[in-house]
Amino acid sequence: MSDKAVAGGNRRSLLTAGLVLLQALVLIGIALSFYAVSWFGKDIRVRTVPVDPRSLLYGDYVTLGYDISRLDPSLWKDTSRKPEKGQPVYVVLKPGADGIAQPVGAYGSKPMTQEGEVVMKGRIDNSWREEILVKYGVEKYFVPEGTGKTLEDKASRLIVHMKVAPWGQAKIEGLEERS
């Protein structure tokens, strides 16, 4: 076997090993990003709102709607563009007097925040003159089998505890019934 053939085989082996390593690192990064929300995220509480009862329960999860998902257009602070369906949105939330997070601004790019505020990243689901609808990726909450009906009945009276990471990703930590 010639030296060129051996060198070519070594390069191919290194390239294959590098690609396998890169794929493994990407998968590890995806898994770590989910757990990083819990490690670095700030706690917030949000109020749920009723959702069409025909779509509340599909198998092992409950669909939740939030009052922070329906934004008044006056909260849109990005003067360079209008809110459009499908575009990313960064919603600044601040706890109200009752400790429940309230939206104080919506931006097309990540804004700076004040003390006590968090930025939750979402996607504009629809935009009208009356309101901007936002999906945050935490609208489905997986529940133990057989408990969905109970949560379905309480869906309009729940407080959701979330962690929101500095980069805007949110994760549901738990539910409690409003008093």
Side-chain angles (χ1 to χ4, degrees):
M1 196 180 255
S2 73
D3 290 340
K4 281 186 176 180
V6 170
N10 285 342
R11 264 188 258 136
R12 199 169 327 153
S13 295
L14 284 173
L15 181 61
T16 302
L19 288 173
V20 169
L21 179 64
L22 180 64
Q23 289 175 344
L25 289 174
V26 166
L27 291 174
I28 290 169
I30 290 169
L32 284 176
S33 74
F34 177 77
Y35 291 106
V37 174
S38 292
W39 300 331
F40 303 110
K42 292 183 181 178
D43 286 315
I44 66 168
R45 296 170 60 211
V46 296
R47 187 175 287 122
T48 59
V49 294
V51 177
D52 183 352
R54 292 172 292 149
S55 64
L56 274 179
L57 184 65
Y58 292 105
D60 294 325
Y61 67 87
V62 174
T63 301
L64 299 171
Y66 303 102
D67 58 352
I68 62 169
S69 295
R70 297 174 173 268
L71 304 177
D72 187 290
S74 66
L75 294 173
W76 185 255
K77 307 297 182 189
D78 193 342
T79 57
S80 64
R81 61 182 170 169
K82 292 184 177 187
E84 295 178 14
K85 182 177 180 158
Q87 89 181 52
V89 61
Y90 295 84
V91 179
V92 177
L93 302 170
K94 187 172 186 173
D98 58 0
I100 304 297
Q102 301 295 320
V104 294
Y107 301 82
S109 58
K110 190 168 185 236
M112 298 297 291
T113 59
Q114 304 295 320
E115 182 68 32
E117 295 178 338
V118 297
V119 177
M120 199 160 153
K121 184 178 180 184
R123 190 157 299 279
I124 295 177
D125 193 41
N126 225 327
S127 178
W128 297 298
R129 288 184 190 173
E130 300 85 27
E131 66 185 358
I132 301 168
L133 300 178
V134 178
K135 297 277 186 184
Y136 296 100
V138 288
E139 286 75 22
K140 292 180 183 173
Y141 182 62
F142 290 87
V143 296
E145 193 169 331
T147 61
K149 180 65 176 148
T150 304
L151 284 175
E152 181 181 306
D153 295 339
K154 297 177 183 180
S156 65
R157 302 184 317 267
L158 296 174
I159 300 292
V160 178
H161 292 266
M162 292 186 196
K163 288 266 192 171
V164 181
W167 52 91
Q169 184 179 359
K171 177 181 167 190
I172 296 175
E173 293 285 309
L175 303 173
E176 75 178 54
E177 193 169 351
R178 263 190 265 177
S179 49

